[in-house]
């Protein structure tokens, strides 16, 4: 990172601390002057958080004073009394555990979040803001805020791998960490590719949901999107000054992680960290309208798994991203894109946007970059949803996943007796290979 970028980042941090905080600091104890990373864990009615803390405490290479853990136990003011009492019990348990915990552990309890804005976005924002203030007080604008959830365990190299990623690239603003859903709270070290996933009930629902996530990301990467990243709130870490630079976490009640990480994608300072793994838990949830818990709930109760987007939608996006050179020379050629895509783009005023981009760039490379930023992760998601609602979603999903694996040069495994785990293992492997190769960070990553 050059000197000017560092100065801008530190100014953004100062501005954020003066203008963007929602509340005063909740933790009065001063941080260690050696603090360089803070793990933040929002905790909403989560009595089983101790395995998460145990896994963190077992991480290797934790220098004294370098790491803190902040747990934010929270509920809406409108939550029922039983939930608030469970939160109070969890807080008391953790405060007692903090006395012997090997890392500084701070517990914040708030059962009074305003009911109209309470949710995972607000909780994550408040505790990330708290971490930001502590890193700033310790004089560590390059320090890292690590976002985890209260149902996760992690690999033993989790903290050291995150450190290494940011140390290798001073300009890196955030990482999204490799993940594998699990059914059991172990292991925290190594795990098989189908950690804890069985073939019925909860295990199948979890397999189907993670398969959907990987199909979606791999499909975007095959299409050539520069926004082909997983966006899982429990699997990300951000540099403090860059957290401030993008305006911090939002207060959305669902999808807060998607919109937050997209800001890092837009400016090209997000990468995938494949050298360690987060193992999120699997359970039903009514807290958010979509995401892991909601998908598991729908699959178990209503028999509705996630809807896999049509392969034609990814093919259409690929056609767009492969046409950037032609569109630079002749912007009106967007009308010759596939019919469904051209019709949808017309509704997004794409023709006007294309001309505006063309007027404000000096060469084809800049045009390509600006166009891909315009057709960001949100618009790609909207188009894929449009194709599903227009043409129908893929059913059964294994045919679409096998097609995508073939397009990406992998041999799709056979699916027997409706067992989707081999497909998931293949997608996990390909995801990791792409992350290692950096394919989802390249501006022109559409090659299969």
């Amino acid at each position: 990172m050059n000197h000017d970028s560092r100065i801008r980042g530190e100014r953004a941090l100062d501005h954020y601390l003066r203008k963007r905080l929602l509340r005063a600091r909740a933790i009065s104890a001063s941080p260690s002057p050696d603090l360089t990373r803070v793990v933040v864990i929002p905790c909403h009615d989560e009595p089983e958080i101790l395995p998460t803390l145990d896994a963190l405490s077992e991480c290797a290479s934790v220098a004294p004073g370098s790491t803190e853990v902040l747990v934010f136990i929270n509920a809406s003011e409108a939550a029922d009394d039983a939930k608030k009492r469970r939160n109070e019990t969890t807080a008391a348990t953790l405060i007692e555990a903090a006395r012997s915990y090997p890392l500084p552990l701070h517990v914040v309890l708030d059962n009074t979040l305003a009911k109209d804005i309470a949710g995972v976005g607000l909780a994550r924002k408040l505790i990330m803001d708290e971490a930001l203030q502590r890193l700033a007080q310790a004089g560590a604008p390059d320090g890292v805020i690590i976002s985890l959830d209260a149902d996760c365990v992690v690999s033993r190299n989790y903290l050291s791998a995150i450190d290494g990623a940011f140390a290798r690239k001073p300009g890196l603003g955030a990482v999204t960490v490799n993940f594998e859903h699990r059914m059991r709270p172990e292991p925290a070290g190594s795990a098989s590719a189908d950690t804890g996933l069985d073939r019925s009930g909860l295990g199948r629902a979890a397999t189907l949901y993670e398969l959907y996530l990987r199909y979606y990301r791999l499909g975007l990467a095959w299409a050539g999107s520069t926004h082909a990243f997983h966006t899982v709130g429990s699997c990300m870490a951000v540099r403090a000054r860059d957290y401030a630079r993008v305006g911090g976490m939002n207060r959305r009640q669902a999808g807060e992680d998607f919109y937050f990480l997209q800001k890092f994608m837009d400016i090209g300072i997000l990468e995938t960290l494949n050298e360690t793994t987060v193992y999120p838990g699997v359970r039903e949830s009514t807290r958010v309208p979509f995401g892991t818990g909601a998908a598991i709930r729908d699959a178990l109760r209503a028999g509705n798994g996630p809807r896999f987007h049509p392969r034609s939608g990814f093919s259409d996006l690929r056609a767009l991203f492969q046409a950037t050179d032609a569109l630079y020379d002749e912007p009106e050629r967007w009308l010759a894109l596939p019919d469904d895509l051209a019709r949808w783009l017309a509704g997004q005023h794409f023709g006007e946007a294309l001309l505006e981009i063309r007027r404000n760039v000096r060469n084809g490379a800049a045009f390509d970059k600006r166009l891909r930023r315009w057709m960001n992760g949100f618009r790609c998601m909207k188009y894929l949803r449009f194709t599903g609602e227009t043409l129908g979603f893929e059913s059964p999903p294994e045919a679409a996943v096998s097609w995508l694996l073939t397009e990406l040069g992998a041999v799709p495994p056979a699916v027997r007796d409706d067992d989707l785990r081999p497909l998931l293992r293949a997608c996990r492997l390909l995801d990791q290979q792409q992350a290692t190769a950096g394919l989802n960070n390249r501006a022109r990553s559409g090659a299969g």
Side-chain angles (χ1 to χ4, degrees), residues 306-327:
R307 299 186 298 177
F308 284 62
H309 301 291
R311 62 193 81 177
S312 63
F314 292 111
S315 296
D316 290 350
L317 291 176
R318 184 178 173 91
L320 170 62
F321 292 128
Q322 289 184 337
T324 57
D325 288 343
L327 293 175

Side-chain angles (χ1 to χ4, degrees), residues 272-295:
T272 297
L273 176 58
N274 183 42
E275 297 165 4
T276 191
T277 303
V278 175
Y279 302 98
V282 176
R283 71 268 174 91
E284 294 183 65
S285 175
T286 59
R287 289 176 295 173
V288 293
F290 54 87
T292 305

Side-chain angles (χ1 to χ4, degrees), residues 178-360:
N178 180 53
F179 64 94
E180 294 180 4
H181 285 91
R182 66 189 168 86
M183 289 284 292
R184 300 183 296 272
E186 72 275 356
S190 61
S192 64
D194 57 352
T195 307
L197 297 180
D198 57 36
R199 291 182 51 190
S200 61
L202 197 61
R204 177 174 169 76
T207 300
L208 192 61
Y209 179 64
E210 187 179 324
L211 187 63
Y212 160 77
L213 293 179
R214 296 190 185 277
Y215 169 75
Y216 182 78
R217 197 214 69 78
L218 287 168
L220 286 184
W222 175 75
S225 171
T226 51
H227 290 69
F229 291 87
H230 291 295
T231 55
V232 181
S234 59
C235 306
M236 63 184 186
V238 301
R239 202 184 296 272
R241 55 174 161 75
D242 291 305
Y243 174 84
R245 177 182 173 187
V246 302
M249 177 55 68
N250 57 76
R251 301 185 300 180
R252 292 177 178 270
Q253 294 178 323
E256 83 293 344
D257 39 15
F258 173 85
Y259 291 96
F260 176 67
L261 288 174
Q262 182 167 260
K263 296 177 183 179
F264 291 88
M265 298 178 210
D266 283 346
I267 55 179
I269 57 173
L270 174 69
E271 290 191 0
T272 297
L273 176 58
N274 183 42
E275 297 165 4
T276 191
T277 303
V278 175
Y279 302 98
V282 176
R283 71 268 174 91
E284 294 183 65
S285 175
T286 59
R287 289 176 295 173
V288 293
F290 54 87
T292 305
I296 299 300
R297 178 194 66 218
D298 292 345
L300 291 177
R301 297 186 182 183
N304 299 324
R307 299 186 298 177
F308 284 62
H309 301 291
R311 62 193 81 177
S312 63
F314 292 111
S315 296
D316 290 350
L317 291 176
R318 184 178 173 91
L320 170 62
F321 292 128
Q322 289 184 337
T324 57
D325 288 343
L327 293 175
Y328 176 72
D329 294 329
E330 302 177 62
E332 67 278 4
R333 290 185 62 176
W334 74 270
L335 293 167
L337 290 168
D339 290 344
D340 289 327
L341 179 60
R343 185 168 71 254
W344 184 85
L345 287 172
Q348 302 292 309
H349 307 289
F350 181 66
E352 296 92 323
L354 203 58
L355 292 175
E356 178 68 17
I357 293 171
R358 183 65 179 82
R359 282 194 295 267
N360 287 280

Side-chain angles (χ1 to χ4, degrees), residues 59-210:
C59 284
S61 304
V62 180
S66 67
T67 306
E68 288 186 347
V69 180
L70 311 186
V71 180
F72 181 35
I73 303 171
N74 65 93
S76 164
E77 60 185 350
D80 60 68
D81 290 341
K83 182 178 293 184
K84 292 180 179 179
R85 285 195 297 271
R86 288 194 296 272
N87 274 354
E88 291 165 359
T89 299
T90 300
T93 299
L94 295 188
I95 290 171
E96 179 61 30
R99 300 177 188 276
S100 57
Y101 194 65
L103 301 172
L105 170 62
H106 300 283
V107 182
V108 178
L109 171 65
D110 189 342
N111 280 334
T112 64
L113 297 183
K115 61 182 179 181
D116 56 331
I117 59 172
V120 64
L122 177 62
R124 209 178 292 280
K125 176 178 176 58
L126 289 174
I127 197 60
M128 293 182 83
D129 282 2
E130 189 79 21
L132 182 74
Q133 294 175 82
R134 296 185 68 75
L135 287 166
Q137 185 181 358
D142 283 342
V144 177
I145 303 169
I146 302 171
S147 178
L148 198 60
D149 278 352
D151 66 339
C152 297
V153 294
V154 297
S155 300
R156 283 183 55 83
N157 71 335
Y158 175 67
L159 296 175
S160 59
I162 291 173
D163 274 358
F166 286 100
R168 286 192 299 272
K169 295 191 175 181
L172 182 63
V175 295
T176 178
V177 183
N178 180 53
F179 64 94
E180 294 180 4
H181 285 91
R182 66 189 168 86
M183 289 284 292
R184 300 183 296 272
E186 72 275 356
S190 61
S192 64
D194 57 352
T195 307
L197 297 180
D198 57 36
R199 291 182 51 190
S200 61
L202 197 61
R204 177 174 169 76
T207 300
L208 192 61
Y209 179 64
E210 187 179 324

Side-chain angles (χ1 to χ4, degrees), residues 366-439:
F367 176 83
D368 179 274
K369 183 176 180 180
R370 288 280 299 273
L371 175 57
R372 290 168 191 272
R373 183 171 176 177
W374 185 91
M375 193 64 184
N376 58 18
F378 178 66
R379 285 196 172 98
C380 285
M381 179 181 66
K382 285 182 64 177
Y383 178 66
L384 291 168
R385 186 174 298 164
F386 165 80
T387 59
E389 292 170 349
T390 303
L391 305 174
F393 293 90
E394 295 284 351
S395 182
E398 48 263 39
V401 176
S402 295
W403 162 81
L404 181 58
L405 288 171
T406 301
E407 291 293 324
L408 289 165
V411 178
V415 175
R416 296 183 177 88
D417 301 324
D418 204 29
D419 182 2
L420 299 177
R421 291 178 299 171
L423 279 178
L424 176 56
R425 285 193 287 269
C427 287
R428 282 177 173 176
L429 178 61
L430 194 53
D431 240 349
Q432 292 178 5
Q433 290 173 343
Q434 288 198 356
T436 301
L439 292 181

